[in-house]
Amino acid sequence: MPDAQAPRLLCVEVYEGKPLSYVTEDAAALLGELGRSALFVPTTTRTREQYGRIHLPGPAPQFAICANGGHLLVDGVSDPDWRAAVDERLAAECAPLDEVRAHLVRTADPAWLLKERVAEDLFAYLVVERSLLPEGWVKELAVWAESRGWTVSLQGRKIYAVPKPLTKSAAMREVARRSGADLMLAAGDSLLDADLLLAADHAWRPGHGELADAGWTAPHVTALEDRGVAAGETILRALIGEVRNPRTSP
């Protein structure tokens, strides 16, 4: 947009001494309003360390969901009972992380593999040079992982291998159970957000991200054209409007 129309921005994440992530100043005010009027639960695929770099305006959240549902933070501390339940379910339903990680590393080509990482001893991902990634490699990996209880997704420069039971929606339902919430609202833009949006009573998807690129939606999901920080502001206004005047849940 023209410079004169650009919104004022507030930095909410610093990494290695440099500003990295932003919200608009209007969105910052809306976050405060949302946090005071509803149970606001930050939900992310990020590890706890990565989530800790983000400092959102508004009241400190009582709950937060990290590592794609692997950690449920209560007042900033991971709930050990939740993590134990997650570990038990993964052990019963999925191939071990070490087996999946070894396959990823063994089949990836150093010509396009930049990094390989394990997140919170729960899932693995590769950082790749997207332009050099062979066509069909991700699909072949997904077929291999499917029978072992894992899912595979390509998002930007990252290829994620995540156990099927490790979901944000499961953690969201646990928060709802503990808090007594009877209306769940959600927003997200990545493939790993799809289960969260489907589990909510109403949800919003911005015009950027892998879900938008794939044209993904659902009957109760509002697909926005807004992108970036503008989408964040639009979604916050919609969330607050829904909290004030909730529609009949499906």
Side-chain angles (χ1 to χ4, degrees), residues 109-140:
D109 189 332
W112 47 261
L113 176 62
L114 302 178
K115 299 177 185 176
E116 66 93 10
R117 294 287 186 270
V118 167
E120 301 271 21
D121 292 324
L122 288 166
F123 62 91
Y125 64 92
L126 306 178
V127 181
V128 301
E129 186 61 58
R130 183 76 177 259
S131 62
L132 300 178
L133 185 66
E135 184 178 354
W137 190 87
V138 174
K139 289 184 178 180
E140 291 177 7

Side-chain angles (χ1 to χ4, degrees), residues 129-179:
E129 186 61 58
R130 183 76 177 259
S131 62
L132 300 178
L133 185 66
E135 184 178 354
W137 190 87
V138 174
K139 289 184 178 180
E140 291 177 7
L141 176 63
V143 171
W144 179 90
E146 171 72 22
S147 62
R148 291 163 175 80
W150 287 67
T151 64
V152 171
S153 61
L154 174 61
Q155 306 192 50
R157 296 194 308 152
K158 293 182 178 179
I159 301 171
Y160 287 91
V162 179
K164 290 183 180 180
L166 186 67
T167 63
K168 295 169 182 171
S169 59
M172 179 180 72
R173 292 189 183 98
E174 177 65 11
V175 171
R177 185 189 69 81
R178 296 188 187 193
S179 64

Side-chain angles (χ1 to χ4, degrees), residues 39-44 63-66 68-72 82 166-187 193-203 220:
L39 182 64
F40 173 59
V41 185
T43 303
T44 181
F63 297 101
I65 296 168
C66 293
N68 212 62
H71 282 283
L72 175 58
W82 175 254
L166 186 67
T167 63
K168 295 169 182 171
S169 59
M172 179 180 72
R173 292 189 183 98
E174 177 65 11
V175 171
R177 185 189 69 81
R178 296 188 187 193
S179 64
D182 56 8
L183 177 66
M184 294 184 289
L185 310 174
D193 291 330
D195 74 282
L196 177 73
L197 304 188
L198 289 173
D201 295 307
H202 304 292
H220 66 290

Side-chain angles (χ1 to χ4, degrees), residues 8-159:
R8 287 166 56 91
L9 299 177
L10 174 69
C11 178
V12 294
E13 180 184 15
V14 174
Y15 181 54
E16 295 183 343
K18 299 178 181 179
L20 184 62
S21 300
Y22 303 85
V23 296
T24 67
E25 286 192 343
D26 286 347
L30 292 168
L31 275 167
E33 183 178 348
L34 181 63
R36 290 186 292 270
S37 58
L39 182 64
F40 173 59
V41 185
T43 303
T44 181
T45 304
R46 287 172 175 243
T47 65
R48 288 170 293 170
E49 180 183 357
Q50 292 167 336
Y51 168 69
R53 299 198 303 253
I54 297 189
H55 302 283
L56 295 175
Q62 179 185 0
F63 297 101
I65 296 168
C66 293
N68 212 62
H71 282 283
L72 175 58
L73 305 189
V74 182
D75 295 324
V77 179
S78 181
D79 184 276
D81 292 337
W82 175 254
R83 178 57 197 263
V86 168
D87 287 343
E88 182 178 352
R89 187 174 180 189
L90 297 188
E93 300 181 24
C94 308
L97 171 62
D98 288 346
E99 176 185 340
V100 174
R101 181 187 186 185
H103 182 82
L104 287 174
V105 174
R106 183 173 62 253
T107 57
D109 189 332
W112 47 261
L113 176 62
L114 302 178
K115 299 177 185 176
E116 66 93 10
R117 294 287 186 270
V118 167
E120 301 271 21
D121 292 324
L122 288 166
F123 62 91
Y125 64 92
L126 306 178
V127 181
V128 301
E129 186 61 58
R130 183 76 177 259
S131 62
L132 300 178
L133 185 66
E135 184 178 354
W137 190 87
V138 174
K139 289 184 178 180
E140 291 177 7
L141 176 63
V143 171
W144 179 90
E146 171 72 22
S147 62
R148 291 163 175 80
W150 287 67
T151 64
V152 171
S153 61
L154 174 61
Q155 306 192 50
R157 296 194 308 152
K158 293 182 178 179
I159 301 171

